[in-house]
């Protein structure tokens, strides 16, 4: 017997085709039913199952569904298991991303820090470029008349500084023998009092040498720089003289100071501690006060560390004084020079007091400093 569907040779007793699953038993049953119906059909009426019947109403017989084979069942189970496994992997990976997203390896943390650094540098560069562009735009604009650096006008009481100092000097008859200059560190306002631009002997004025060394050799000769500003006069002299030699002598350091610091009076004609020299060292009160302001802006007011009380000079009430002092004669203490930065609760200023002709001693200098402080406080 052959399978009516696929043509496979089957046993006569087979109920299903082993290849395509066709139901042989059902086929036999349907064939018997067709034979019975054919016998009951009149001879002149075509039977739907006849091969010569051309009727359009013929419907093929419906057969029962073929049950799936064991191989098909196993394949379906494998597919379901594989899909389930993949789903579990996807869920696990998603959970790992959620709970481990904030955990960074050292390499990742270092990479993030590098990105932040690059970002900050980019912002700074961009800001610098924007500033340069703004500056170039400002250059193209017509010039406007404005105050230098748009500084605020000094308070009304500050106008009295110059008048008060000059009146005090004049009332003591020292008009040609005392020079004073004051620079307010809070506003950068300058108060050039009596004789501020006049040339005076620069006794005890080591600061220009220190500033020249810091400017020319910012990372070298540190011990000599500290020695220049020492509280010991011998150490100051030795360190300052070594610095002068670094510039080729007094003329060399004078040229450097005048070229780089905008000075015209400050000059060195001899080394420190040398007596009976035909040349001397000079400065003026205005240049001295401005150089101290330069030191203060560097945050180094403390470098003026000579004790004023050694010369009988004292800080004004309620203030701290950072100073260098010098005199022609330590015993007599005449021709006294005071280079000081004075700081208090509401004051911060530089003051240079230069004297000559032996007319002004420590008593007058202390009175002058107290008067200046009162005016600066208002």
């Amino acid at each position: 017997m052959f399978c009516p569907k696929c043509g496979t040779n089957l046993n006569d007793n087979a109920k299903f085709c082993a290849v395509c699953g066709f139901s042989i038993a059902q086929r036999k049953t349907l064939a018997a039913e067709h034979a019975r119906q054919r016998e009951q059909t009149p001879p002149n009426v075509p039977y739907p199952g006849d091969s010569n019947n051309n009727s359009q109403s013929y419907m093929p017989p419906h057969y029962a569904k073929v049950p799936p084979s064991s191989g098909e069942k196993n394949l379906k189970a494998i597919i379901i298991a594989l899909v389930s496994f993949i789903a579990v992997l996807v869920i696990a990976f998603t959970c790992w991303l959620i709970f481990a997203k904030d955990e960074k390896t050292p390499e990742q943390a270092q990479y993030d820090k590098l990105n932040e650094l690059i970002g900050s540098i980019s912002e700074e560069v961009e800001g610098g470029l924007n500033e340069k562009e703004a500056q170039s735009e400002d250059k193209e604009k017509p010039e406007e008349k404005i105050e230098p650096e748009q500084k605020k006008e000094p308070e009304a009481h500050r106008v009295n500084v110059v008048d008060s100092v000059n009146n005090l000097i004049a009332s003591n008859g020292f008009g040609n023998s005392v020079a004073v200059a004051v620079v307010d560190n809070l506003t950068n306002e300058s108060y050039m009092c009596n004789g501020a631009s006049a040339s005076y002997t620069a006794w005890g004025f080591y600061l220009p040498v220190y500033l020249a060394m810091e400017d020319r050799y910012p990372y070298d000769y540190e011990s000599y720089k500290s020695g220049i500003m020492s509280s010991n006069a011998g150490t100051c002299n030795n360190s300052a003289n070594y610095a002068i030699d670094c510039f080729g002598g007094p003329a060399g350091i004078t040229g450097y100071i005048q070229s780089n610091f905008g000075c015209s009076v400050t000059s060195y004609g001899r080394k420190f501690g040398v007596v009976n020299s035909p040349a001397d060292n000079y400065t003026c009160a205005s240049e001295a006060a401005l150089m101290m302001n330069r030191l203060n802006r560097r945050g180094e007011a403390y470098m003026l560390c000579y004790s004023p009380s050694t010369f009988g000079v004292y800080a004004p009430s309620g203030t701290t004084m950072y100073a260098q002092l010098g005199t022609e004669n330590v015993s007599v203490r005449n021709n006294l020079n005071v280079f000081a930065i004075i700081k208090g609760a509401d004051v911060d200023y530089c003051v240079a007091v230069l004297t000559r002709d032996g007319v002004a001693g420590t008593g007058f200098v202390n009175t002058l400093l107290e008067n200046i402080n009162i005016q600066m406080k208002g």
Side-chain angles (χ1 to χ4, degrees), residues 39-371:
E39 291 175 356
Q40 295 177 357
T41 301
N44 57 344
V45 177
Y47 180 69
D50 291 342
S51 59
N52 58 353
N53 180 20
N54 295 324
S55 173
Q56 297 298 321
S57 62
Y58 170 75
M59 295 294 291
H62 295 280
Y63 301 106
K65 292 184 179 180
V66 180
S69 63
S70 60
E72 291 176 338
K73 292 181 178 180
N74 293 336
L75 179 61
K76 184 175 180 180
I78 292 173
I79 292 174
I80 293 173
L82 182 61
V83 171
S84 301
F85 178 74
I86 292 174
V88 171
L89 287 179
V90 170
I91 294 173
F93 182 72
T94 302
C95 293
W96 179 81
L97 288 178
I98 293 173
F99 294 104
K101 64 181 180 179
D102 294 331
E103 297 179 4
K104 298 180 179 179
T105 63
E107 291 79 7
Q108 289 173 327
Q110 187 175 8
Y111 179 77
D112 291 344
K113 289 182 178 179
L114 181 60
N115 280 338
E116 291 177 2
L117 178 60
I118 293 174
S120 63
I121 293 175
S122 299
E123 290 177 359
E124 292 179 2
V125 171
E126 184 178 354
L129 292 175
N130 291 338
E131 183 177 353
K132 287 184 178 180
E133 290 177 358
Q135 290 176 352
S136 64
E137 291 177 0
D138 291 339
K139 289 180 180 179
E140 295 175 359
K141 295 179 181 178
E143 293 186 0
E144 299 178 0
K145 292 184 179 180
I146 57 175
E147 293 294 328
E149 300 181 6
Q150 296 183 342
K151 295 177 182 176
K152 295 186 293 185
E153 288 295 327
E155 297 178 16
H157 70 270
R158 298 292 176 84
V159 180
N160 296 328
V161 175
V162 175
D163 291 340
S164 178
V165 170
N166 291 348
N167 289 337
L168 180 60
I169 294 173
S171 64
N172 284 270
F174 299 152
N176 296 320
S177 303
V178 177
V180 178
V182 180
V183 176
D184 191 335
N185 294 326
L186 301 176
T187 65
N188 287 331
E189 290 292 334
S190 300
Y191 304 96
M192 301 305 162
C193 305
N194 185 79
S197 60
S199 178
Y200 279 68
T201 304
W203 290 300
F205 197 34
Y206 300 92
L207 178 59
V209 180
Y210 171 78
L211 292 176
M213 286 292 284
E214 275 289 349
D215 189 68
R216 187 171 183 177
Y217 306 106
Y219 306 111
D220 301 314
Y221 305 111
E222 295 301 321
S223 61
Y224 288 99
K225 293 174 190 174
S226 299
I228 293 170
M229 306 299 283
S230 170
S231 60
N232 181 278
T235 302
C236 291
N237 288 344
N238 293 334
S239 299
N241 290 338
Y242 179 89
I244 289 173
D245 288 337
C246 290
F247 288 86
I253 197 167
T254 296
Y256 190 89
I257 291 170
Q258 293 185 351
S259 298
N260 292 275
F261 301 153
C263 298
S264 59
V265 178
T266 302
S267 61
Y268 289 90
R270 61 172 174 81
K271 290 186 176 181
F272 290 91
V274 176
V275 296
N276 300 322
S277 173
D280 215 331
N281 303 334
Y282 296 97
T283 189
C284 63
S286 60
E287 291 180 0
L290 290 171
M291 279 189 272
M292 286 187 287
N293 176 256
R294 183 188 185 98
L295 182 73
N296 187 74
R297 283 185 279 114
R298 289 168 55 92
E300 295 180 342
Y302 64 90
M303 296 296 288
L304 300 175
C305 62
Y306 206 88
S307 175
S309 60
T310 303
F311 287 79
V313 176
Y314 301 95
S317 303
T319 68
T320 299
M321 177 188 289
Y322 304 91
Q324 279 187 335
L325 295 93
T327 181
E328 182 181 15
N329 189 321
V330 177
S331 299
V332 180
R333 296 174 185 171
N334 63 342
N335 296 341
L336 181 64
N337 292 342
V338 177
F339 309 97
I341 297 176
I342 297 176
K343 296 179 181 289
D346 48 5
V347 293
D348 187 346
Y349 59 92
C350 305
V351 57
V353 178
L354 308 179
T355 69
R356 62 188 175 192
D357 302 328
V359 298
T362 55
F364 175 77
V365 170
N366 283 324
T367 301
L368 184 61
L369 292 176
E370 195 67 48
N371 177 274

